[in-house]
Amino acid sequence: MHAIVHERLGLAGEVLEFRVVPEPGPPAEGEALVRVTFTPIHPGDLLAVEGSPAFGDLVSLANGARIPGFEGVGIVEALGSAVVTGSQVNVGDRVAFFPVSGAWSERVVAPMTSLVRLPDDVTDEQAAQMLINTITARLVLSTGHNALPPERKTSVTVIQTGASSAVGQLLTALLVANDVATIRLVRSEASASALAKRMPGPPIVSTENADWKDVLQREIDGRPIFTVFDGVGGVHLSEVASFLIEGGTIVNYGSLGGTGTDIRGIAPRSLVLRGVSIGEWKNDPPEQRRADMDTALGLVQNRPELFDDVARFEAADIAAAVAKMNLPGKSGAVLLSF
Ligand SMILES: NC(=O)c1ccc[n+]([C@@H]2O[C@H](COP(=O)([O-])OP(=O)(O)OC[C@H]3O[C@@H](n4cnc5c(N)ncnc54)[C@H](OP(=O)(O)O)[C@@H]3O)[C@@H](O)[C@H]2O)c1
């Protein structure tokens, strides 16, 4: 079978190759063999390939070639011996999967607990990108909620950075569904008007404009801001954090803006900087994980527009797919087809 592999850490455009690799072994008890149709490229996948600290621990290349990717969609081809027909997933079912290491392959062996059976009204392209981003948005939301002191858990107003990203939009959808007022920051006027069309609703402020802080202050309109949901980091974070009330929390889940965050304002104002990683999700109870998968499926079915901006590439064309990921102003999901 074919897969995307890398044998060393480095820029994805330089180290990723499409090549023949051995088929995975047969599924064991509690596992399924899935013929993959689409798998997304996430910014985090590229960070892992690069060996960036923004991914976390370095991925292991000890076994030679590593296959990236953790999420995708496909058809169940076989079940482990102890799994009988009539269980939640059967041979021939279309499924989304996460987490499964080595997802950028023609076939993967996935734990049954990582599978979501797909109804007919959900397309492969939507399903391929529904789990990681939605689950991240839910984790980010819960983290922010848990950080609120009891007296601040109602009439909440928050600031979001990187609001035009996929996770940013899903977070907005969850915030609005939970009656939280959010003010969305994006990096350019072009992004602001595109986002306003795609997802009308909460106010959007472009940090491109010299007066963005005045505009943000007007949008805040005297309400206390206890939480910033931040997917950007970088040089602007300290400025955004200055809008928090004393003791407030920055919930950071990404580094779209790169390095250079000045933390000197954190201590004097007793702010809390809290990171969130989807890697934590495996520690959640099975019922919570299944509820999160159901939430993802429900969002695709009820808000399909959040999953419909897609660019498809043949897996063999991995270089073009990576180039698309790195394009300034790139929007929507980049999917590899196998
Ligand atoms: N913590 C976790 O477990 C976890 C899980 C998933 C994702 N993430 C992180 O979450 C972030 C978003 O991921 P995603 O998949 O949603 O990204 P995405 O959909 O690929 O979003 C990229 C968009 O973000 C905007 N952007 C890029 N650089 C920016 C900057 N410096 N300032 C403001 N906006 C910027 C751009 O939109 P415009 O062109 O419209 O400006 C760009 O098109 C990434 O940092 C990713 O690594 C973390």
Side-chain angles (χ1 to χ4, degrees), residues 43 136 164-167 187 191 232 253-257 276-278 329-330:
T136 301
S164 63
S165 71
V167 176
R187 62 177 166 173
S191 174
V232 175
Y253 61 91
S255 307
L256 286 168
V276 174
S277 167
I278 185 120
K330 166 252 171 203

Side-chain angles (χ1 to χ4, degrees), residues 31 46 70 75-76 116 129 135 150 175 184 186 191:
E31 293 180 335
L46 303 185
F70 299 97
I75 308 276
V76 175
V116 182
Q129 25 134 4
I135 293 167
L175 287 165
R184 298 178 285 176
V186 296
S191 174

